Amino acid sequence: MKNLPVNDKKKQAQLLRKELEKHNRQYYVLDNPVISDDEFDSLYQKLILLELDTPSLVDKYSPTQRVGGEPLAAFTSVDHLSPMLSLANVFNGKQFADFHNRVKQTINISNIDYFGEPKLDGLAISLVYEDGKLVRAVTRGNGKRGEDVTHNARTIKAIPLTLTALAPPTLLEVRGEIYIEKAQFERLNQRQKAGNKKTFVNARNAAAGAVRQLDAKVAASRPLTICCYGIARIENHVSPATQQDSLQLLKSFGFRVSEDTVLLKNEKECILYFKELAGKRQSLAYDIDGVVFKVNRISDQQLMGAVAKAPRWAVAFKFAAEEAMTLVREIDLQVGRTGVLTPVARLQPVFVGGATVTNATLHNFEEVARKDIRVGDTVVVRRAGDVIPEVVKVLFDLRPAEAIRYEIPNELPDIAIEQSIKKVIHFVSKKALDIDGLGDKLVAQLVRKKYVVGFSDLFNLKKECLLLLERLGSKSADKILLAIASSKQTTFSRLIYGIGILGVGEETAARLADSFDSLEKIQRGTIEEFEKIPDIGTVVSQSIFDWFSKAENIEELDNLLSAGLVIENSHNSEKTIDFVCVVTGSFDSMKRSEIVQSLNTIGIRTANTVSRSVDFLVCGDSPGSKLERAHALGIRLVYQDELMRLLEQKAIGKNSIKAFLEGK
Ligand code: IVH
């Protein structure tokens, strides 16, 4: 580097910082160091000495400030500037073709360019820069709000603290994936071993674990890096027109971006790229679990918009789950959420799909019989990402003579109690009746002592009974009784979810509550009627029907009502407005006024101007400027045929409209 000005310390520090940043970028971002480590260290030492000598020169964006300071006392959570979405998955060519067809339906041009990127397996991060300086790094959290982990992000050398741009955007929000490269991960684990410390199961856990620490020293000590894959917001700067340009721009700002991305001209090229990366997967320096395809033109992305959790313009084409062979040591029974018994294989531990697998679900007794899985068998197990491992098949050739066929146990006394406990735990859980303070252990005691047999017994609990439980004082007992009493007033969907019908999760419960406005109506519901509700298939319809056909269940519901359970009025009797839309253009089959009226009767308010508070735009022919404005604001469009489908639904409520808008 140039000679340092002898008398101007401030200038010296500035020059040193610039130089160090440049080499830092060469090394960590571009993987192309141009000076030796020793030369780098000597420059670094110079700056350290200078800053020690003149503390007023220390700047929080100096390369010397990347080592973590004092640990934080607590995390703070912050809202994302724009939601951090996830990606819809496809697993085969047919599903990818379906995605491509959906894209073609919205974007009416013959050639749609896609941008192909490796799907990195780490943890998502949002980086916010104001006037070219890193001000915040936030984890994904629930997509709307995440944890502020700026202290940890600052230790990652591949994350620029300042952007390399003469006129940086005033605001820039970048999205990327923090991860650890495979070779670095091996080295990390060797170090752990050498220091007699626990080794990490996989690179992803080691990366994610470090980023979620209060003490930045942990992150600083792990070889974390980042690849950036998107710009969520850019202000006072030229906006990139394509995904490809975005990455180019990010690179020019000093961010690390993947070198394995490509512009793809058609569906065929996408499939070829997928195959190519699948073939290269083992030899890549980093772990990937699939390929991401994004519609390249940003204006097209805006046209496509997003459903609840994922953009409609991108998709993750996942690699097939990894498989491995292992031994079945035991077959046990497990009690599930709704009290269902599930046979589980206890396996000889085997490393597959990035984790050690010791248990695999066998789903149900029929499955065990059909696959003929026996204790002592060698089986193929499969695991993909966070998915529960499962047994694919038995290798019959390897079956030993002494393999033991699985017999369903005749008597299940303990399991029956476990089952009741699980049912009650589910009934009082947050998304069901939400009885605060009634933890799993307390419920278990209540059921074991037979104070609670059916759900309704909860509402008749006496304080004396509670005081007989282990470790429960008078004050806590009062609190619990109060929580029980206040849970008596509940909503229809919470009740339906809470009673634990097989296959009925929170969403399905909400849809049932929407479509049937009383318990009596559900009780009289037919399988065909249940099937008409979006997303409810034959199996779940049958399951709902079966539940309401059992006398003991009906009795339990009666008991609940006599114990004082009150179901709040649903939307049908007390209409609230949950959605606002604007109607524009002309329509073939209905007058605009008729459409407005129909929308109003199902609780959708219609407005005249398109603003951010509008949920969707109903778009007829010749829509005009309202459409442009909706595009600009990224507002969901509903075209004629879609509108007809919405209005034709038999029973419409808040949740079904929501599901409809989210494209479910
Ligand atoms: S784009 C709006 N691109 O995959 C689109 N995500 O399953 C949001 N991921 O949360 C993500 N590589 O953590 C995108 N090249 C890539 C990615 C990628 C890995 C992760 C990311 C995201 C998750 C979704």
Side-chain angles (χ1 to χ4, degrees):
M1 75 178 280
K2 284 180 284 182
N3 284 337
L4 293 172
V6 197
N7 293 323
D8 190 345
K9 294 210 166 149
K10 196 168 169 195
K11 191 90 198 156
Q12 283 182 18
Q14 270 174 3
L15 284 172
L16 279 168
R17 270 179 208 145
K18 235 188 164 161
E19 190 71 7
L20 282 163
E21 267 163 18
K22 183 176 105 192
H23 292 301
N24 189 52
R25 203 162 44 246
Q26 285 294 339
Y27 188 97
Y28 291 102
V29 177
L30 304 171
D31 300 322
N32 179 28
V34 292
I35 57 170
S36 71
D37 289 2
D38 283 347
E39 284 169 293
F40 185 88
D41 285 345
S42 115
L43 288 174
Y44 190 82
Q45 284 309 322
K46 266 191 199 148
L47 181 58
I48 292 259
L49 287 178
L50 199 61
E51 287 179 347
L52 275 176
D53 185 47
T54 321
S56 63
L57 289 179
V58 181
D59 170 317
K60 99 179 201 223
Y61 297 98
S62 168
T64 59
Q65 302 304 301
R66 284 188 181 269
V67 282
E70 282 295 300
L72 301 186
F75 280 118
T76 30
S77 61
V78 275
D79 284 334
H80 292 295
L81 297 180
S82 38
M84 266 180 103
L85 300 175
S86 143
L87 290 166
N89 291 326
V90 298
F91 295 93
N92 53 47
K94 159 88 178 55
Q95 290 173 351
F96 180 76
D98 291 344
F99 161 74
H100 178 53
N101 286 333
R102 283 197 300 276
V103 174
K104 277 195 294 194
Q105 270 170 21
T106 310
I107 305 166
N108 256 331
I109 47 173
S110 53
N111 278 322
I112 294 157
D113 287 351
Y114 287 103
F115 200 67
E117 302 174 8
K119 185 169 189 300
L120 301 152
D121 200 8
L123 106 150
I125 195 89
S126 161
L127 303 171
V128 180
Y129 290 78
E130 283 170 12
D131 297 321
K133 304 232 178 269
L134 174 69
V135 292
R136 217 161 31 253
V138 189
T139 61
R140 178 164 187 277
N142 64 8
K144 291 207 175 85
R145 210 176 157 76
E147 230 129 37
D148 187 330
V149 291
T150 318
H151 60 301
N152 291 326
R154 296 173 58 86
T155 69
I156 302 175
K157 309 272 185 20
I159 296 181
L161 298 178
T162 46
L163 302 182
T164 45
L166 287 176
T170 50
L171 181 69
L172 177 72
E173 190 184 18
V174 175
R175 300 282 162 80
E177 194 87 351
I178 294 180
Y179 64 99
I180 296 177
E181 289 198 343
K182 289 184 203 166
Q184 296 286 353
F185 176 67
E186 291 308 319
R187 233 173 286 163
L188 172 67
N189 261 352
Q190 275 163 17
R191 268 202 337 249
Q192 294 288 111
K193 257 191 220 148
N196 266 334
K197 290 193 204 132
K198 239 182 115 195
T199 54
F200 299 100
V201 174
N202 55 43
R204 184 188 144 132
N205 290 3
V211 175
R212 297 204 192 96
Q213 299 281 333
L214 290 167
D215 187 354
K217 298 231 165 48
V218 181
S221 73
R222 291 195 196 158
L224 298 168
T225 188
I226 191 171
C227 244
C228 295
Y229 47 66
I231 297 180
R233 192 172 286 220
I234 181 161
E235 281 176 15
N236 294 310
H237 192 283
V238 181
S239 290
T242 64
Q243 171 65 10
Q244 191 174 36
D245 292 347
S246 298
L247 295 198
Q248 202 51 50
L249 183 63
L250 285 175
K251 199 170 169 177
S252 79
F253 283 153
F255 291 99
R256 197 158 176 270
V257 296
S258 171
E259 295 296 323
D260 298 298
T261 57
V262 256
L263 182 66
L264 302 155
K265 290 285 172 195
N266 52 46
E267 191 183 347
K268 208 168 135 203
E269 286 190 12
C270 290
I271 301 293
L272 281 175
Y273 173 69
F274 173 80
K275 288 193 174 146
E276 186 194 319
L277 269 193
K280 284 209 291 202
R281 187 178 181 188
Q282 306 301 336
S283 63
L284 289 174
Y286 46 86
D287 289 320
I288 60 174
D289 57 353
V291 173
V292 183
F293 292 102
K294 299 177 181 173
V295 169
N296 192 40
R297 275 169 50 128
I298 309 284
S299 59
D300 290 341
Q301 292 182 359
Q302 282 161 351
L303 265 182
M304 299 275 321
V307 294
K309 292 203 181 84
R312 296 173 69 232
W313 46 265
V315 80
F317 197 152
K318 301 288 279 278
F319 295 136
E322 221 180 284
E323 295 186 343
M325 261 166 49
T326 191
L327 212 68
V328 177
R329 286 176 168 169
E330 212 69 64
I331 297 178
D332 285 344
L333 275 184
Q334 216 168 46
V335 188
R337 167 176 82 74
T338 50
V340 179
L341 296 176
T342 308
V344 176
R346 308 290 176 201
L347 306 167
Q348 174 132 355
V350 59
F351 192 78
V352 54
T356 302
V357 167
T358 47
N359 303 311
T361 175
L362 300 175
H363 301 295
N364 51 50
F365 298 123
E366 293 80 58
E367 181 92 347
V368 183
R370 192 174 61 76
K371 288 186 176 159
D372 190 14
I373 301 165
R374 303 183 188 183
V375 174
D377 269 338
T378 300
V379 293
V380 174
V381 290
R382 171 160 65 193
R383 182 181 180 276
D386 299 328
V387 179
I388 304 166
E390 57 172 1
V391 170
V392 183
K393 62 175 178 194
V394 172
L395 299 174
F396 292 110
D397 292 347
L398 300 179
R399 170 171 288 169
E402 64 277 12
I404 307 160
R405 188 193 292 274
Y406 180 70
E407 302 279 351
I408 302 174
N410 296 334
E411 282 185 53
L412 308 166
D414 286 343
I415 287 175
I417 289 185
E418 290 302 310
Q419 210 167 339
S420 310
I421 295 173
K422 285 268 157 107
K423 279 188 182 172
V424 178
I425 289 176
H426 178 72
F427 186 73
V428 305
S429 67
K430 197 132 207 85
K431 292 173 182 167
L433 277 263
D434 189 18
I435 303 182
D436 223 18
L438 209 50
D440 296 4
K441 294 225 171 82
L442 280 184
V443 171
Q445 288 190 61
L446 287 170
V447 176
R448 291 217 171 91
K449 290 196 193 299
K450 304 257 179 327
Y451 296 155
V452 173
V453 179
F455 301 138
S456 55
D457 297 328
L458 284 166
F459 294 131
N460 298 319
L461 263 184
K462 297 272 173 304
K463 187 171 175 183
E464 300 84 80
C465 292
L466 283 174
L467 290 175
L468 291 173
L469 303 182
E470 277 166 45
R471 279 193 280 269
L472 199 81
S474 172
K475 261 195 180 156
S476 314
D478 285 338
K479 258 196 189 156
I480 291 174
L481 288 173
L482 187 68
I484 293 177
S486 48
S487 76
K488 277 187 186 171
Q489 173 121 7
T490 192
T491 64
F492 197 24
S493 63
R494 280 179 180 273
L495 177 66
I496 299 173
Y497 173 69
I499 54 181
I501 305 170
L502 194 61
V504 177
E506 197 192 354
E507 193 119 326
T508 310
R511 290 192 180 194
L512 271 169
D514 260 353
S515 309
F516 294 83
D517 47 3
S518 70
L519 270 178
E520 298 80 65
K521 285 194 187 152
I522 295 199
Q523 268 174 53
R524 277 186 273 114
T526 64
I527 295 181
E528 292 71 35
E529 279 174 308
F530 296 136
E531 275 182 349
K532 282 198 189 116
I533 302 171
D535 264 4
I536 300 189
T538 322
V539 177
V540 176
S541 297
Q542 180 75 51
S543 161
I544 301 167
F545 185 79
D546 290 349
W547 198 95
F548 285 98
S549 309
K550 286 204 182 99
E552 71 249 38
N553 289 339
I554 302 304
E555 197 183 315
E556 185 58 56
L557 288 175
D558 284 344
N559 290 343
L560 278 170
L561 295 173
S562 0
L565 186 88
V566 180
I567 302 169
E568 280 169 14
N569 276 342
S570 69
H571 62 275
N572 283 320
S573 41
E574 197 189 318
K575 192 154 283 152
T576 49
I577 288 164
D578 295 306
F579 299 94
V580 180
C581 77
V582 172
V583 183
T584 182
S586 57
F587 300 81
D588 319 322
S589 49
M590 271 169 118
K591 282 198 202 128
R592 221 154 84 187
S593 56
E594 288 172 332
I595 292 177
V596 169
Q597 205 174 19
S598 310
L599 287 166
N600 291 344
T601 53
I602 58 171
I604 300 176
R605 190 163 69 80
T606 42
N608 288 327
T609 44
V610 179
S611 70
R612 266 181 218 287
S613 54
V614 164
D615 296 292
F616 60 99
L617 179 77
V618 176
C619 192
D621 291 335
S622 333
S625 68
K626 284 188 178 144
L627 177 62
E628 276 162 38
R629 175 126 179 92
H631 274 167
L633 294 176
I635 286 168
R636 168 88 157 85
L637 303 181
V638 171
Y639 291 100
Q640 287 195 48
D641 50 340
E642 239 186 330
L643 176 73
M644 294 309 148
R645 267 199 293 123
L646 173 70
L647 296 178
E648 272 162 19
Q649 284 183 35
K650 204 178 91 187
I652 312 183
K654 179 177 165 184
N655 286 298
S656 51
I657 296 173
K658 187 161 168 275
F660 169 83
L661 290 174
E662 288 165 0
K664 286 181 195 152

